[in-house]
Amino acid sequence: MPDARMSTRYALYALFTLSGFAGLIYESIWSHYLKLFLGHAAYAQTLVLMIFMGGMALGAWIAGEWSQRVQRPLVAYAVVEAILGVFALSFDWVFRGLQGWAFDSAIPALESAAAIETLKWGLSALVILPQSVLLGMTFPLMSAGVLRVSQGLTGRVLAWLYFTNSLGASAGVLVSGFVLVAWVGLPGTMLTAGLVNFLLVLGVWLIARQLDAQPPVARAVGGSAPARGLALLLATALLTGAASFFYEIGWIRMLSLVLGSATHSFELMLSAFILGLALGSFIIRGRIETLRDPLATLGMVQVVMALLALGTLLLYPQTFDWMATLRGALARTEASYVAYVLMSHAICLVLMLPVTICAGMTLPLITHLLIKRGHGEAAIGRVYAANTVGAISGVLLAVHGVMPLMGLRQVVVVGASIDLALGLVLLRLASAALVPAARWALGGAVLISVAIATSAPFDPARLASGVFRNGVARNAEPILFHQDGKTATISVFGKDDYFAIATNGKVDAGLRTAAPPSTDDYTMILLGVLPALIHPEPRTVAAIGFGSGRTTHTLLQDPRLTRVDTIEIEPAMVEGAKRFGPLVSSAFDDPRSVIHIEDAKTFFARGGERYDIVVSEPSNPWVSGTASLFSREFYHHARRHLAEGGVLLQWLQLYETDVAIVGSVLKALGSEFEDYVLYTMGTADMLIVASAHGKVPAPAWREVPVAGFGPLLASLNIRGPQDLDALRIGDRALVEPWVRTLPLPANSDYFPVVDQNAARYVFVDRNAMSLQDVRGIELRLSAHERENIGLTLGSEPLFLAQAVARAYGVGRKGPAEDDTIASGPLLVLRALPQACESAALAEVWLVQFQDVAPRLIPYIGAAGGKAVAAGLRKAPCYPGLSRDIHAWVDLLEFGSAADPRARDVALKLLEAYGPANALAPFLLGEALLITLRQNDRSLEEARKWAPQLWQWGGKSPALTLLMAHLAVRG
């Protein structure tokens, strides 16, 4: 019989592991859902923690009081799990319905910001509170069932239950975040958790039906259990719960500065925290029944936990060095990314585990004490409820009080102070006469705590380093501003003529006060200029994301605008941006500028206004919560708030990403907008201009806005429409056949493929810069052909080719400012007479010319190509040079004019060089371009090269794009 009871007990432990697994899937996925409603991952995580823990507290208290009267608590547990499964099956449908009603009907009808926030938080609570209550009931009911089966060993059983449930929870966070969401999206992950609930129902019911009804764990006769002891231990559970969540909130924010604030980083941190709780319960399980004075042990655990928590403040600066070493040691490969994730988890464990192991010992000890003192099974629910109420208090005080008012470091200090004071009180009550050595030890602990709390270093230069991206553990620039906001830590740093603003260590904008402009400056100025040149008469603008304020400042240089609404969710970002001074002054000083501290979806729904221009400039898609601003649902929302003829401008980086990610965003955008045009900034950034109805207009060089933007455009060396043309990649007709070939589906809030994949590309340092290789087609095709094809492989800005053509007597007259840019190509083109001195020099010239020609052909135009080719052929030794040189000069002339003869020349060179040559993709592209231009379906010679080139690694978007168009043609 004892063996049967033991087998039953271990079977229930295994099932309770699955219960924890499903429970943390719910917490994780609810955060994903609610950040779509609340507008930021940090708010969603905070709210989910509060409601999740609050509901569990209520559920635990109800179940604890009720379990004494339940004959078969395991059957009751199975019923609760079944109801949870039903809720999981309907959650996605209910959430989408409520979200649609809120944004479409309820929020537009409310005028008060307080009323809107109350509605949003109330609806968020409505969709997860019932399940949270049910989840809270599971622990007391399962505990009561297992305790009745065990008939003794109360402390050991409770420790095992805490351990197994927490172990399953730790695994649930990781499996949900790294596997399930990527495979089946948010709806599928919810369904998976629901299926686990039904599996638990079956397993527990099969066990329960074989057991006889057992009496509940005995309570003290006549209710004579000491009330003071109950109050003390419940207060201990509450306060240690508050302290633990001070630690959790503090550590998550601290480690976000080391690991980055990607979604997967949060999951690694949460998993590490819960794993420590599990290990603490596991360690205490074998000792809890034999402790001479459990109350004294509990007090000592609290003191040790406080000291270890303060010790994390001393250890924390070293984590930046560990991350720097890790980044430097691992190759930027997919295989190494797995090691990177594991080592990142290890960093979390090193920081959190000692403290959370102590935290994991507390609840088994408290519950064991109460049951031994005669409080019966009700003690289980009461302890669980008190602990979760404390957790809610910890979340609220940490996020909305201590962090913004006192700073990140003090969040951990306050939590440690609670545990230390609690431990000293418990030790004092456990033994009236502590031995002198113990008193000295406790006094020393207090002194050590005070010393650490007042002197632990939190160097802002480390916090602003962005080590998770650049592998540098300490920022070398002076820190000018540093503030821990409610959603992120904001820093401004720089010196001399360069300054940057960073969110959680990730630079969001860097500006120069003197020439040349920074790459971010280039992007932010063009974000402000392009819409003014595309929209004929703009009046109102909504800009999503404040950043440095440079985009808003630029927009306001257009005198035609009557208002620019800038939406930013973090107040500290706006405060930090003030450090940029005159570079962003209009954003703060111009009366047409209005800054709103709010999430974008709520802002649009509340105001209900339509804008001529919407500019979306969020952070990078890998940052947790940001990918939802690149989703199909966001574009649907943005389209509804564009006025007739309005345009959307979307910023997207081409660094630390992949063409598949870009394609996923374009698929999402294309599902809601009729047309879009891609522009490169001449840097690693891209702008997407989208029109809901009709073609995106071409930029018009209008006098009024150009006059306002004059100094800013001059700083970018942009003097006319031809310079903007050089930045155009292509429109939807150009890129859509290529986009369809990419493996990722359209990014969606509910199937967040960008969020799931983007962080990996930060590590592997992949990029989509090759997208810029499809520029220049408008210069070689007629309007009709442009509309139907629109392809090329050029990558050099137009003004370089213009400078070369002008040097050969072709093109516009006037100052030749661009000649310095074209100096290298000009030297190559003028060096042919000198190369005539020997065949060896001619071959050197050919190698240089092979580098220059692909950069000129797409842009130099028919007249320019003809003039340059004629000039080269005049070289005295030209007739005797190799066939390769003749072929490249012919390709320059024919390719720049899109002459059909270019195809034959390109194919002959391709045949001579083979697919392993670096020029092979360009040559095949030139051949395919002519094929498509002539609507020729018979180019089998070119088709046969494509697989070899792709295997070699020449699978550029440009070449893939050409092949996609060729496939469409049949």
Side-chain angles (χ1 to χ4, degrees), residues 670-687:
S671 68
E672 297 293 334
F673 285 79
E674 185 175 329
D675 189 33
Y676 55 79
V677 175
L678 313 181
Y679 285 88
T680 173
M681 299 298 92
T683 61
D685 297 284
M686 183 172 74
L687 297 186

Side-chain angles (χ1 to χ4, degrees), residues 445-516:
V446 172
L447 291 176
I448 292 171
S449 300
V450 172
I452 296 175
T454 55
S455 63
F458 254 42
D459 183 4
R462 284 188 178 272
L463 305 182
S465 66
V467 63
F468 51 89
R469 293 179 77 203
N470 54 37
V472 177
R474 193 175 188 279
N475 197 320
E477 307 293 335
I479 306 300
L480 309 176
F481 173 86
H482 186 84
Q483 183 172 321
D484 297 309
K486 288 185 178 182
T487 67
T489 296
I490 307 298
S491 304
V492 177
F493 54 84
K495 63 180 179 180
D496 299 330
D497 66 343
Y498 178 80
F499 302 91
I501 189 167
T503 303
N504 286 341
K506 185 262 167 190
V507 173
D508 278 324
L511 305 181
R512 289 194 186 280
T513 57

Side-chain angles (χ1 to χ4, degrees), residues 254-477:
M254 287 161 59
L255 287 170
S256 292
L257 301 171
V258 179
L259 275 63
S261 50
T263 298
H264 288 336
S265 298
F266 169 74
E267 289 153 353
L268 290 173
M269 298 175 221
L270 184 59
S271 172
F273 187 91
I274 298 171
L275 180 60
L277 299 179
L279 292 176
S281 299
F282 183 78
I283 290 170
I284 199 69
R285 84 197 189 289
R287 300 169 176 82
I288 196 168
E289 298 288 350
T290 58
L291 292 173
R292 293 177 58 188
D293 190 347
L295 189 64
T297 301
L298 179 62
M300 188 58 67
V301 167
Q302 297 292 150
V303 172
V304 171
M305 181 161 52
L307 288 172
L308 290 172
L310 290 170
T312 65
L313 299 180
L314 298 176
L315 184 63
Y316 175 58
Q318 306 308 312
T319 62
F320 289 87
D321 296 321
W322 299 342
M323 178 56 69
T325 301
L326 182 62
R327 292 282 301 183
L330 294 176
R332 301 292 186 264
T333 63
E334 296 282 351
S336 294
Y337 179 68
V338 176
Y340 174 74
V341 170
L342 292 175
M343 293 305 295
S344 296
H345 197 209
I347 290 174
C348 299
L349 291 172
V350 169
L351 192 74
M352 297 182 181
L353 216 55
V355 180
T356 52
I357 285 174
C358 292
M361 296 178 181
T362 57
L363 293 192
L365 282 168
I366 294 170
T367 312
H368 174 64
L369 272 166
L370 287 175
I371 290 178
K372 287 297 184 184
R373 291 180 178 184
H375 291 280
E377 291 175 1
I380 302 170
R382 290 172 179 175
V383 169
Y384 207 87
N387 186 256
T388 48
V389 168
I392 297 169
S393 304
V395 171
L396 282 171
L397 289 171
V399 173
H400 299 287
V402 177
M403 182 119 46
L405 295 177
M406 301 171 65
L408 181 56
R409 184 169 68 94
Q410 297 304 321
V411 173
V412 176
V413 170
V414 171
S417 300
I418 293 172
D419 274 334
L420 181 61
L422 192 57
L424 294 176
V425 169
L426 291 172
L427 286 170
R428 179 71 180 84
L429 293 174
S431 176
L434 288 173
V435 297
R439 292 182 178 179
W440 280 106
L442 289 176
V446 172
L447 291 176
I448 292 171
S449 300
V450 172
I452 296 175
T454 55
S455 63
F458 254 42
D459 183 4
R462 284 188 178 272
L463 305 182
S465 66
V467 63
F468 51 89
R469 293 179 77 203
N470 54 37
V472 177
R474 193 175 188 279
N475 197 320
E477 307 293 335

